[in-house]
Amino acid sequence: MEILLQDVEVERTGKKILHEFSCRITHSPTFILGANGSGKSTLLQSIMGLLPYQGSIQINQNEVRQIKRRTLAQLLAYV
């Protein structure tokens, strides 16, 4: 599986949490580490299609906005 993020921007409560964030995730499992309030949960929720975002988030070359919820649930999980 490949997850590709390109120029992703996410706002929460009027504050920009992610700004022009880009990366490629090709290995599973993947760990995301960072300080409290650094945007880890926001990033994961955006990848899972739970938060609106600007830019592009693709899973296996399919835009997350276009993937059905059931299919996303079969592809992704986080704890």
Side-chain angles (χ1 to χ4, degrees), residues 2-69:
E2 178 182 67
I3 301 173
L4 179 63
L5 295 93
Q6 295 179 313
D7 298 322
V8 174
E9 297 191 357
V10 179
E11 286 189 15
R12 291 186 105 167
T13 62
K15 182 179 179 186
K16 194 170 282 194
I17 305 298
L18 298 176
H19 178 69
E20 295 181 10
F21 183 80
S22 298
C23 75
R24 179 177 298 194
I25 302 169
T26 58
H27 300 301
S28 183
T30 296
F31 300 90
I32 300 172
L33 305 173
N36 289 341
S38 63
K40 300 176 302 292
S41 294
T42 298
L43 173 63
L44 291 172
Q45 291 170 359
S46 298
I47 291 170
M48 296 183 70
L50 300 174
L51 288 177
Y53 61 88
Q54 300 296 316
S56 177
I57 301 176
Q58 296 179 2
I59 300 175
N60 296 332
Q61 300 179 351
N62 296 301
E63 185 65 36
V64 165
R65 292 181 190 103
Q66 306 301 319
I67 301 173
K68 294 180 181 179
R69 299 286 312 142

